[in-house]
Amino acid sequence: MDAVGDVQRVLVLGGTSEIGLAVLRRLAGRRRPAAVLAGRPTDRLDAVAAELRAEGHDVDLVHFDAEDRRTWAPAVEKAFAGGDVDVVVVAFGILGDAERAWQDPDDAAALATVNYTAPVTMGVDVAARLRTQGHGALVVLSSVAGQRPRRSNFAYGSTKAGLDAFYTGLREALRPEGIRVVVVRPGFVRTKMTQGMPAAPLAVDADRVAEAAVSGLRSGREVVWAPPPMRYVAFVLRLLPAPLFRRLPV
């Protein structure tokens, strides 16, 4: 951070993520932080970069594909080549087809790779670089779905459960070195990814999640629920006996 406490450089892994971009914009203080957007080379990524530049951000693009392991390490290396990174936002993932994911091995593998293997592998690489530079923070988008996966989305929920567990542990491993990890657990978020799906209770938009995430980062919280009442919903769901849990609406 600079002399007045503003973040100077942000890496968004998942450069077209609506939540990731909202976090970047929320981090803007007296100055617009430089942005490194990492994602697949698409027209959408180019358009997002143009929007951010028009808003006053310096933007670098780094190309990677979450399904292609060969792109992961080069993407992280390139992202850090331009200088220190103050905040890394891990914001990529897919919902997948809930029914195909537990019946089709290829679908299951793709879901696990994008939502768990890639963010964990890249997270290990990012953590090493933050340790080398001696400062920084990770903001990781988990999900309430990982707290107790339900029949309707258990394959997706399992990937988020694993992601959440990994970054919760990484937070403790990095704590002695002053590197912070903030795990964000949203409920249903209204984005392009969920367009057409019926909204669940306590649904929020991307900006509301970003507001909670950045507030947590600035206040020193380690786990952020979006919206905050989701903490109590998840607590109750974890305690429900299996016969009652099965009877919940899907």
Side-chain angles (χ1 to χ4, degrees):
M1 297 185 182
D2 63 19
V4 292
D6 289 338
V7 171
Q8 295 187 73
R9 198 157 181 261
V10 179
L11 166 60
V12 182
L13 293 174
T16 59
S17 161
E18 291 172 69
I19 301 176
L21 293 169
V23 169
L24 168 66
R25 289 182 166 109
R26 282 273 176 182
L27 284 169
R30 297 169 182 82
R31 55 178 289 177
R32 305 288 185 187
V36 183
L37 305 181
R40 288 182 297 174
T42 62
D43 291 343
R44 171 63 180 152
L45 186 64
D46 292 337
V48 167
E51 290 171 10
L52 291 174
R53 290 180 181 122
E55 294 170 14
H57 297 268
D58 290 331
V59 180
D60 292 323
L61 296 182
V62 173
H63 293 155
F64 89 102
D65 186 338
E67 293 189 64
D68 185 355
R69 181 167 186 162
R70 295 169 299 178
T71 69
W72 302 347
V76 174
E77 181 178 9
K78 185 176 179 181
F80 279 81
D84 285 4
V85 176
D86 302 304
V87 178
V88 179
V89 186
V90 182
F92 62 91
I94 56 175
L95 280 174
D97 184 304
E99 290 303 296
R100 286 180 59 85
W102 70 268
Q103 299 178 77
D104 185 302
D106 291 336
D107 271 42
L111 189 69
T113 297
V114 174
N115 288 0
Y116 180 75
T117 306
V120 166
T121 305
M122 297 179 81
V124 170
D125 198 351
V126 165
R129 293 172 189 277
L130 294 179
R131 293 171 67 196
T132 296
Q133 70 183 29
H135 67 93
L138 278 152
V139 176
V140 183
L141 296 180
S142 180
S143 173
V144 169
Q147 296 301 294
R148 186 174 183 180
R150 299 168 65 183
R151 165 64 182 85
S152 58
N153 66 350
F154 68 90
Y156 170 80
S158 72
T159 64
K160 288 299 185 178
L163 176 80
D164 196 294
F166 172 79
Y167 278 99
T168 298
L170 184 65
R171 179 182 68 216
E172 300 308 312
L174 295 177
R175 186 190 301 279
E177 300 185 61
I179 309 300
R180 297 188 52 212
V181 178
V182 180
V183 175
V184 183
R185 296 171 179 162
F188 187 97
V189 186
R190 293 183 291 266
T191 64
K192 289 184 176 68
M193 190 166 71
T194 59
Q195 191 170 7
M197 298 173 60
L202 300 178
V204 292
D205 59 20
D207 193 60
R208 181 90 176 273
V209 178
E211 180 183 14
V214 173
S215 174
L217 180 64
R218 288 175 171 158
S219 65
R221 295 202 305 277
E222 297 177 335
V223 176
V224 173
W225 301 82
M230 270 297 168
R231 171 196 301 269
Y232 307 108
V233 173
F235 177 75
V236 171
L237 290 177
R238 284 198 300 268
L239 294 179
L240 277 181
L244 291 179
F245 188 71
R246 292 190 196 103
R247 296 173 62 182
L248 293 174
V250 295

